[in-house]
Amino acid sequence: MNKFIDELISKADVALSNGKDQPALAALLLEYGYTPEKLATGESLWNQASSLNMAQQKENGEQLAATEALNKSIDAANSVYMPHLKVARIAFRNNINYWAKLALKGRRQNTQSGWLGQTKVFYTNLLDDNLAIYKMAEFGQTREKLEAGLQLVLGVEENLATRKKEMGEAQDATKACDKAIDELQDWYSDYIGIARLALADQPQYLEMMGIISPS
């Protein structure tokens, strides 16, 4: 799709520029109703499509960057959280209350939002309980280490929100770009169809318009 869009924008640029700037060529197109005003309409559609295409590419790039930042932050948080989780399962091996309170039971969620929920429950409830902190400290996991783990998790939460925002902006940019490309394509198709008629006896002009006649 990106290749098609780039080709359309490039071809339409050539056809519009020469159709407007080459007097003899423009005179032949004028006989078929392509006045300067009508060509200006096409130029406006081209400008809009080109601008929105660049905006879409920018938003897609920002979405990819946000996704990469999110994945890296999850990896960093997990590298701290998983050892803390394993220690907690040992420290509270026989305490059903803490197993529920800290969400120690079962596999970790596969979804990012599910994982985030489990980790926030773990650190928030752990750090609100002095007895639990004391128990974790017996295995070398101090309050400072647990708070550092929580900060990594909160960083993931921020990156997840950023990625969601960038996804929404990328989707909006894609819709706007697709609409503009469709409008340009419709105008350009008519323009080239008429140019083939108007310039049928002038192959050099057809080439200027980017229209290659079959050999």
Side-chain angles (χ1 to χ4, degrees), residues 90-126:
I90 293 170
F92 306 110
R93 185 189 305 276
N94 299 316
N95 194 314
I96 297 176
N97 177 48
Y98 280 115
W99 272 73
K101 185 175 181 179
L102 304 179
L104 301 181
K105 185 178 179 180
R107 298 174 63 86
R108 300 300 89 184
Q109 294 286 337
N110 290 324
T111 64
Q112 291 168 342
S113 59
W115 175 91
L116 185 61
Q118 285 182 320
T119 53
K120 286 187 69 178
V121 164
F122 176 81
Y123 283 113
T124 301
N125 289 343
L126 192 53

mmCIF file of all heavy atoms in Angstrom, residues 90-126:
data_model
loop_
_atom_site.group_PDB
_atom_site.id
_atom_site.type_symbol
_atom_site.label_atom_id
_atom_site.label_comp_id
_atom_site.label_asym_id
_atom_site.label_seq_id
_atom_site.Cartn_x
_atom_site.Cartn_y
_atom_site.Cartn_z
ATOM 1 N N ILE A 90 8.217 -17.948 48.564
ATOM 2 C CA ILE A 90 8.928 -18.699 49.597
ATOM 3 C C ILE A 90 8.650 -18.087 50.979
ATOM 4 O O ILE A 90 8.340 -18.802 51.943
ATOM 5 C CB ILE A 90 10.445 -18.703 49.311
ATOM 6 C CG1 ILE A 90 10.731 -19.498 48.028
ATOM 7 C CG2 ILE A 90 11.224 -19.279 50.493
ATOM 8 C CD1 ILE A 90 12.157 -19.376 47.523
ATOM 9 N N ALA A 91 8.730 -16.754 51.044
ATOM 10 C CA ALA A 91 8.544 -16.059 52.326
ATOM 11 C C ALA A 91 7.150 -16.278 52.912
ATOM 12 O O ALA A 91 6.983 -16.380 54.135
ATOM 13 C CB ALA A 91 8.800 -14.562 52.148
ATOM 14 N N PHE A 92 6.150 -16.381 52.042
ATOM 15 C CA PHE A 92 4.764 -16.530 52.504
ATOM 16 C C PHE A 92 4.188 -17.893 52.104
ATOM 17 O O PHE A 92 2.995 -18.019 51.855
ATOM 18 C CB PHE A 92 3.903 -15.393 51.931
ATOM 19 C CG PHE A 92 4.447 -14.030 52.216
ATOM 20 C CD1 PHE A 92 4.989 -13.252 51.191
ATOM 21 C CD2 PHE A 92 4.443 -13.513 53.501
ATOM 22 C CE1 PHE A 92 5.504 -11.984 51.455
ATOM 23 C CE2 PHE A 92 4.954 -12.248 53.776
ATOM 24 C CZ PHE A 92 5.490 -11.481 52.750
ATOM 25 N N ARG A 93 5.079 -18.880 52.081
ATOM 26 C CA ARG A 93 4.698 -20.208 51.615
ATOM 27 C C ARG A 93 3.439 -20.741 52.304
ATOM 28 O O ARG A 93 2.560 -21.315 51.661
ATOM 29 C CB ARG A 93 5.856 -21.178 51.853
ATOM 30 C CG ARG A 93 5.611 -22.578 51.291
ATOM 31 C CD ARG A 93 6.688 -23.557 51.755
ATOM 32 N NE ARG A 93 8.026 -23.095 51.422
ATOM 33 C CZ ARG A 93 8.604 -23.300 50.225
ATOM 34 N NH1 ARG A 93 7.928 -23.917 49.269
ATOM 35 N NH2 ARG A 93 9.822 -22.871 49.999
ATOM 36 N N ASN A 94 3.328 -20.533 53.585
ATOM 37 C CA ASN A 94 2.223 -21.109 54.359
ATOM 38 C C ASN A 94 1.172 -20.080 54.782
ATOM 39 O O ASN A 94 0.376 -20.333 55.685
ATOM 40 C CB ASN A 94 2.774 -21.814 55.603
ATOM 41 C CG ASN A 94 3.707 -22.953 55.245
ATOM 42 O OD1 ASN A 94 3.411 -23.732 54.341
ATOM 43 N ND2 ASN A 94 4.838 -23.040 55.940
ATOM 44 N N ASN A 95 1.171 -18.931 54.130
ATOM 45 C CA ASN A 95 0.247 -17.868 54.506
ATOM 46 C C ASN A 95 -0.739 -17.610 53.361
ATOM 47 O O ASN A 95 -0.436 -16.890 52.410
ATOM 48 C CB ASN A 95 1.018 -16.590 54.857
ATOM 49 C CG ASN A 95 0.143 -15.576 55.567
ATOM 50 O OD1 ASN A 95 -0.978 -15.317 55.146
ATOM 51 N ND2 ASN A 95 0.673 -14.993 56.648
ATOM 52 N N ILE A 96 -1.921 -18.193 53.481
ATOM 53 C CA ILE A 96 -2.937 -18.082 52.420
ATOM 54 C C ILE A 96 -3.345 -16.624 52.201
ATOM 55 O O ILE A 96 -3.596 -16.196 51.073
ATOM 56 C CB ILE A 96 -4.180 -18.932 52.777
ATOM 57 C CG1 ILE A 96 -3.795 -20.410 52.846
ATOM 58 C CG2 ILE A 96 -5.287 -18.704 51.761
ATOM 59 C CD1 ILE A 96 -4.931 -21.313 53.291
ATOM 60 N N ASN A 97 -3.396 -15.860 53.292
ATOM 61 C CA ASN A 97 -3.800 -14.461 53.198
ATOM 62 C C ASN A 97 -2.888 -13.676 52.257
ATOM 63 O O ASN A 97 -3.354 -12.945 51.376
ATOM 64 C CB ASN A 97 -3.798 -13.822 54.587
ATOM 65 C CG ASN A 97 -4.147 -12.349 54.537
ATOM 66 O OD1 ASN A 97 -5.119 -11.954 53.899
ATOM 67 N ND2 ASN A 97 -3.342 -11.532 55.207
ATOM 68 N N TYR A 98 -1.583 -13.840 52.423
ATOM 69 C CA TYR A 98 -0.640 -13.109 51.580
ATOM 70 C C TYR A 98 -0.628 -13.633 50.146
ATOM 71 O O TYR A 98 -0.372 -12.872 49.205
ATOM 72 C CB TYR A 98 0.771 -13.145 52.178
ATOM 73 C CG TYR A 98 0.955 -12.133 53.292
ATOM 74 C CD1 TYR A 98 1.194 -12.537 54.600
ATOM 75 C CD2 TYR A 98 0.875 -10.779 53.030
ATOM 76 C CE1 TYR A 98 1.352 -11.612 55.623
ATOM 77 C CE2 TYR A 98 1.030 -9.837 54.043
ATOM 78 C CZ TYR A 98 1.269 -10.268 55.334
ATOM 79 O OH TYR A 98 1.418 -9.344 56.342
ATOM 80 N N TRP A 99 -0.904 -14.896 49.983
ATOM 81 C CA TRP A 99 -0.964 -15.433 48.617
ATOM 82 C C TRP A 99 -2.082 -14.755 47.838
ATOM 83 O O TRP A 99 -1.942 -14.461 46.652
ATOM 84 C CB TRP A 99 -1.161 -16.961 48.648
ATOM 85 C CG TRP A 99 0.157 -17.673 48.717
ATOM 86 C CD1 TRP A 99 0.980 -17.752 49.787
ATOM 87 C CD2 TRP A 99 0.805 -18.353 47.643
ATOM 88 N NE1 TRP A 99 2.121 -18.468 49.473
ATOM 89 C CE2 TRP A 99 2.034 -18.853 48.156
ATOM 90 C CE3 TRP A 99 0.477 -18.625 46.325
ATOM 91 C CZ2 TRP A 99 2.936 -19.570 47.379
ATOM 92 C CZ3 TRP A 99 1.373 -19.360 45.540
ATOM 93 C CH2 TRP A 99 2.576 -19.817 46.067
ATOM 94 N N ALA A 100 -3.176 -14.490 48.519
ATOM 95 C CA ALA A 100 -4.289 -13.790 47.864
ATOM 96 C C ALA A 100 -3.986 -12.293 47.744
ATOM 97 O O ALA A 100 -4.189 -11.682 46.689
ATOM 98 C CB ALA A 100 -5.570 -13.997 48.654
ATOM 99 N N LYS A 101 -3.484 -11.720 48.827
ATOM 100 C CA LYS A 101 -3.254 -10.284 48.888
ATOM 101 C C LYS A 101 -2.217 -9.819 47.870
ATOM 102 O O LYS A 101 -2.337 -8.723 47.293
ATOM 103 C CB LYS A 101 -2.797 -9.919 50.305
ATOM 104 C CG LYS A 101 -2.633 -8.430 50.566
ATOM 105 C CD LYS A 101 -2.288 -8.213 52.033
ATOM 106 C CE LYS A 101 -2.135 -6.723 52.328
ATOM 107 N NZ LYS A 101 -1.831 -6.482 53.762
ATOM 108 N N LEU A 102 -1.205 -10.642 47.630
ATOM 109 C CA LEU A 102 -0.113 -10.265 46.726
ATOM 110 C C LEU A 102 -0.235 -10.903 45.336
ATOM 111 O O LEU A 102 0.662 -10.750 44.503
ATOM 112 C CB LEU A 102 1.238 -10.648 47.346
ATOM 113 C CG LEU A 102 1.521 -10.075 48.734
ATOM 114 C CD1 LEU A 102 2.876 -10.560 49.244
ATOM 115 C CD2 LEU A 102 1.467 -8.545 48.710
ATOM 116 N N ALA A 103 -1.345 -11.593 45.107
ATOM 117 C CA ALA A 103 -1.585 -12.257 43.808
ATOM 118 C C ALA A 103 -0.423 -13.174 43.447
ATOM 119 O O ALA A 103 0.123 -13.138 42.349
ATOM 120 C CB ALA A 103 -1.803 -11.216 42.711
ATOM 121 N N LEU A 104 -0.055 -14.043 44.410
ATOM 122 C CA LEU A 104 1.092 -14.932 44.203
ATOM 123 C C LEU A 104 0.729 -16.208 43.441
ATOM 124 O O LEU A 104 1.601 -16.838 42.839
ATOM 125 C CB LEU A 104 1.696 -15.320 45.565
ATOM 126 C CG LEU A 104 2.184 -14.174 46.456
ATOM 127 C CD1 LEU A 104 2.776 -14.728 47.746
ATOM 128 C CD2 LEU A 104 3.196 -13.308 45.719
ATOM 129 N N LYS A 105 -0.537 -16.573 43.471
ATOM 130 C CA LYS A 105 -0.949 -17.860 42.910
ATOM 131 C C LYS A 105 -1.094 -17.792 41.392
ATOM 132 O O LYS A 105 -1.520 -16.791 40.832
ATOM 133 C CB LYS A 105 -2.278 -18.296 43.527
ATOM 134 C CG LYS A 105 -2.747 -19.676 43.094
ATOM 135 C CD LYS A 105 -4.061 -20.037 43.796
ATOM 136 C CE LYS A 105 -4.546 -21.424 43.351
ATOM 137 N NZ LYS A 105 -5.827 -21.785 44.023
ATOM 138 N N GLY A 106 -0.756 -18.905 40.763
ATOM 139 C CA GLY A 106 -1.035 -19.058 39.340
ATOM 140 C C GLY A 106 0.006 -18.439 38.426
ATOM 141 O O GLY A 106 0.986 -17.829 38.864
ATOM 142 N N ARG A 107 -0.242 -18.601 37.129
ATOM 143 C CA ARG A 107 0.657 -18.082 36.107
ATOM 144 C C ARG A 107 0.479 -16.569 35.986
ATOM 145 O O ARG A 107 -0.550 -16.015 36.349
ATOM 146 C CB ARG A 107 0.365 -18.737 34.750
ATOM 147 C CG ARG A 107 0.580 -20.259 34.755
ATOM 148 C CD ARG A 107 0.137 -20.861 33.439
ATOM 149 N NE ARG A 107 0.925 -20.349 32.331
ATOM 150 C CZ ARG A 107 2.098 -20.864 31.951
ATOM 151 N NH1 ARG A 107 2.611 -21.905 32.584
ATOM 152 N NH2 ARG A 107 2.753 -20.356 30.919
ATOM 153 N N ARG A 108 1.484 -15.912 35.447
ATOM 154 C CA ARG A 108 1.381 -14.476 35.209
ATOM 155 C C ARG A 108 0.552 -14.232 33.942
ATOM 156 O O ARG A 108 0.544 -15.041 33.011
ATOM 157 C CB ARG A 108 2.760 -13.844 35.042
ATOM 158 C CG ARG A 108 3.683 -14.011 36.245
ATOM 159 C CD ARG A 108 3.111 -13.389 37.523
ATOM 160 N NE ARG A 108 2.272 -14.322 38.288
ATOM 161 C CZ ARG A 108 1.602 -14.007 39.374
ATOM 162 N NH1 ARG A 108 1.649 -12.766 39.823
ATOM 163 N NH2 ARG A 108 0.879 -14.897 40.012
ATOM 164 N N GLN A 109 -0.158 -13.140 33.932
ATOM 165 C CA GLN A 109 -1.018 -12.813 32.797
ATOM 166 C C GLN A 109 -0.191 -12.608 31.527
ATOM 167 O O GLN A 109 0.906 -12.043 31.573
ATOM 168 C CB GLN A 109 -1.817 -11.541 33.096
ATOM 169 C CG GLN A 109 -2.818 -11.692 34.225
ATOM 170 C CD GLN A 109 -4.035 -12.498 33.804
ATOM 171 O OE1 GLN A 109 -4.347 -12.579 32.624
ATOM 172 N NE2 GLN A 109 -4.721 -13.078 34.773
ATOM 173 N N ASN A 110 -0.736 -13.023 30.397
ATOM 174 C CA ASN A 110 -0.046 -12.860 29.118
ATOM 175 C C ASN A 110 -0.248 -11.463 28.540
ATOM 176 O O ASN A 110 0.607 -10.957 27.811
ATOM 177 C CB ASN A 110 -0.531 -13.899 28.107
ATOM 178 C CG ASN A 110 -0.070 -15.305 28.463
ATOM 179 O OD1 ASN A 110 1.038 -15.479 28.973
ATOM 180 N ND2 ASN A 110 -0.902 -16.296 28.202
ATOM 181 N N THR A 111 -1.404 -10.857 28.826
ATOM 182 C CA THR A 111 -1.669 -9.531 28.278
ATOM 183 C C THR A 111 -0.903 -8.479 29.062
ATOM 184 O O THR A 111 -0.623 -8.654 30.250
ATOM 185 C CB THR A 111 -3.171 -9.197 28.328
ATOM 186 O OG1 THR A 111 -3.600 -9.134 29.690
ATOM 187 C CG2 THR A 111 -3.988 -10.255 27.588
ATOM 188 N N GLN A 112 -0.586 -7.387 28.391
ATOM 189 C CA GLN A 112 0.160 -6.312 29.061
ATOM 190 C C GLN A 112 -0.661 -5.697 30.190
ATOM 191 O O GLN A 112 -0.132 -5.428 31.264
ATOM 192 C CB GLN A 112 0.556 -5.251 28.030
ATOM 193 C CG GLN A 112 1.603 -5.757 27.054
ATOM 194 C CD GLN A 112 1.808 -4.843 25.873
ATOM 195 O OE1 GLN A 112 0.963 -3.995 25.570
ATOM 196 N NE2 GLN A 112 2.917 -5.003 25.177
ATOM 197 N N SER A 113 -1.948 -5.477 29.949
ATOM 198 C CA SER A 113 -2.794 -4.895 31.002
ATOM 199 C C SER A 113 -2.971 -5.861 32.166
ATOM 200 O O SER A 113 -2.989 -5.443 33.329
ATOM 201 C CB SER A 113 -4.156 -4.512 30.420
ATOM 202 O OG SER A 113 -4.810 -5.639 29.860
ATOM 203 N N GLY A 114 -3.083 -7.157 31.862
ATOM 204 C CA GLY A 114 -3.207 -8.155 32.918
ATOM 205 C C GLY A 114 -1.943 -8.252 33.752
ATOM 206 O O GLY A 114 -1.995 -8.321 34.997
ATOM 207 N N TRP A 115 -0.804 -8.258 33.081
ATOM 208 C CA TRP A 115 0.488 -8.287 33.781
ATOM 209 C C TRP A 115 0.639 -7.053 34.658
ATOM 210 O O TRP A 115 1.091 -7.143 35.811
ATOM 211 C CB TRP A 115 1.614 -8.349 32.757
ATOM 212 C CG TRP A 115 2.991 -8.268 33.348
ATOM 213 C CD1 TRP A 115 3.780 -9.304 33.756
ATOM 214 C CD2 TRP A 115 3.735 -7.070 33.614
ATOM 215 N NE1 TRP A 115 4.981 -8.830 34.255
ATOM 216 C CE2 TRP A 115 4.977 -7.457 34.182
ATOM 217 C CE3 TRP A 115 3.483 -5.710 33.428
ATOM 218 C CZ2 TRP A 115 5.954 -6.546 34.557
ATOM 219 C CZ3 TRP A 115 4.454 -4.794 33.807
ATOM 220 C CH2 TRP A 115 5.678 -5.213 34.371
ATOM 221 N N LEU A 116 0.252 -5.907 34.125
ATOM 222 C CA LEU A 116 0.368 -4.666 34.871
ATOM 223 C C LEU A 116 -0.490 -4.708 36.132
ATOM 224 O O LEU A 116 -0.058 -4.263 37.206
ATOM 225 C CB LEU A 116 -0.046 -3.484 33.988
ATOM 226 C CG LEU A 116 0.125 -2.091 34.578
ATOM 227 C CD1 LEU A 116 1.598 -1.821 34.904
ATOM 228 C CD2 LEU A 116 -0.396 -1.040 33.599
ATOM 229 N N GLY A 117 -1.686 -5.266 36.020
ATOM 230 C CA GLY A 117 -2.559 -5.383 37.183
ATOM 231 C C GLY A 117 -1.944 -6.251 38.264
ATOM 232 O O GLY A 117 -1.976 -5.892 39.460
ATOM 233 N N GLN A 118 -1.371 -7.381 37.882
ATOM 234 C CA GLN A 118 -0.759 -8.280 38.863
ATOM 235 C C GLN A 118 0.435 -7.638 39.566
ATOM 236 O O GLN A 118 0.589 -7.748 40.783
ATOM 237 C CB GLN A 118 -0.311 -9.569 38.172
ATOM 238 C CG GLN A 118 -1.445 -10.510 37.820
ATOM 239 C CD GLN A 118 -0.941 -11.780 37.175
ATOM 240 O OE1 GLN A 118 -0.013 -11.757 36.357
ATOM 241 N NE2 GLN A 118 -1.553 -12.907 37.510
ATOM 242 N N THR A 119 1.270 -6.978 38.795
ATOM 243 C CA THR A 119 2.477 -6.396 39.389
ATOM 244 C C THR A 119 2.145 -5.220 40.313
ATOM 245 O O THR A 119 2.770 -5.046 41.362
ATOM 246 C CB THR A 119 3.456 -5.929 38.300
ATOM 247 O OG1 THR A 119 2.775 -5.053 37.384
ATOM 248 C CG2 THR A 119 4.019 -7.113 37.536
ATOM 249 N N LYS A 120 1.146 -4.407 39.924
ATOM 250 C CA LYS A 120 0.764 -3.285 40.782
ATOM 251 C C LYS A 120 0.153 -3.777 42.093
ATOM 252 O O LYS A 120 0.432 -3.216 43.160
ATOM 253 C CB LYS A 120 -0.221 -2.374 40.042
ATOM 254 C CG LYS A 120 0.434 -1.516 38.965
ATOM 255 C CD LYS A 120 -0.552 -0.520 38.381
ATOM 256 C CE LYS A 120 -0.905 0.550 39.397
ATOM 257 N NZ LYS A 120 -1.827 1.558 38.818
ATOM 258 N N VAL A 121 -0.666 -4.809 42.017
ATOM 259 C CA VAL A 121 -1.238 -5.400 43.233
ATOM 260 C C VAL A 121 -0.122 -5.904 44.132
ATOM 261 O O VAL A 121 -0.116 -5.670 45.349
ATOM 262 C CB VAL A 121 -2.212 -6.543 42.881
ATOM 263 C CG1 VAL A 121 -2.500 -7.417 44.108
ATOM 264 C CG2 VAL A 121 -3.515 -5.982 42.329
ATOM 265 N N PHE A 122 0.832 -6.586 43.554
ATOM 266 C CA PHE A 122 1.946 -7.160 44.313
ATOM 267 C C PHE A 122 2.711 -6.078 45.072
ATOM 268 O O PHE A 122 2.849 -6.127 46.311
ATOM 269 C CB PHE A 122 2.889 -7.901 43.366
ATOM 270 C CG PHE A 122 4.114 -8.452 44.022
ATOM 271 C CD1 PHE A 122 4.072 -9.654 44.716
ATOM 272 C CD2 PHE A 122 5.330 -7.776 43.933
ATOM 273 C CE1 PHE A 122 5.214 -10.162 45.328
ATOM 274 C CE2 PHE A 122 6.475 -8.287 44.531
ATOM 275 C CZ PHE A 122 6.413 -9.484 45.232
ATOM 276 N N TYR A 123 3.211 -5.085 44.345
ATOM 277 C CA TYR A 123 4.055 -4.083 44.981
ATOM 278 C C TYR A 123 3.266 -3.145 45.891
ATOM 279 O O TYR A 123 3.737 -2.796 46.983
ATOM 280 C CB TYR A 123 4.810 -3.274 43.923
ATOM 281 C CG TYR A 123 5.984 -4.007 43.345
ATOM 282 C CD1 TYR A 123 6.000 -4.404 42.010
ATOM 283 C CD2 TYR A 123 7.095 -4.302 44.132
ATOM 284 C CE1 TYR A 123 7.081 -5.082 41.474
ATOM 285 C CE2 TYR A 123 8.196 -4.981 43.608
ATOM 286 C CZ TYR A 123 8.182 -5.365 42.280
ATOM 287 O OH TYR A 123 9.257 -6.043 41.758
ATOM 288 N N THR A 124 2.080 -2.734 45.465
ATOM 289 C CA THR A 124 1.293 -1.794 46.269
ATOM 290 C C THR A 124 0.906 -2.412 47.616
ATOM 291 O O THR A 124 1.095 -1.795 48.681
ATOM 292 C CB THR A 124 0.028 -1.364 45.510
ATOM 293 O OG1 THR A 124 0.403 -0.752 44.272
ATOM 294 C CG2 THR A 124 -0.786 -0.375 46.324
ATOM 295 N N ASN A 125 0.393 -3.633 47.586
ATOM 296 C CA ASN A 125 -0.031 -4.294 48.836
ATOM 297 C C ASN A 125 1.152 -4.679 49.705
ATOM 298 O O ASN A 125 1.081 -4.634 50.936
ATOM 299 C CB ASN A 125 -0.890 -5.513 48.521
ATOM 300 C CG ASN A 125 -2.255 -5.129 47.991
ATOM 301 O OD1 ASN A 125 -2.690 -3.986 48.137
ATOM 302 N ND2 ASN A 125 -2.943 -6.074 47.364
ATOM 303 N N LEU A 126 2.245 -5.028 49.061
ATOM 304 C CA LEU A 126 3.443 -5.397 49.800
ATOM 305 C C LEU A 126 4.011 -4.191 50.546
ATOM 306 O O LEU A 126 4.333 -4.269 51.744
ATOM 307 C CB LEU A 126 4.486 -5.965 48.834
ATOM 308 C CG LEU A 126 5.716 -6.678 49.400
ATOM 309 C CD1 LEU A 126 5.319 -7.783 50.367
ATOM 310 C CD2 LEU A 126 6.544 -7.246 48.255
#
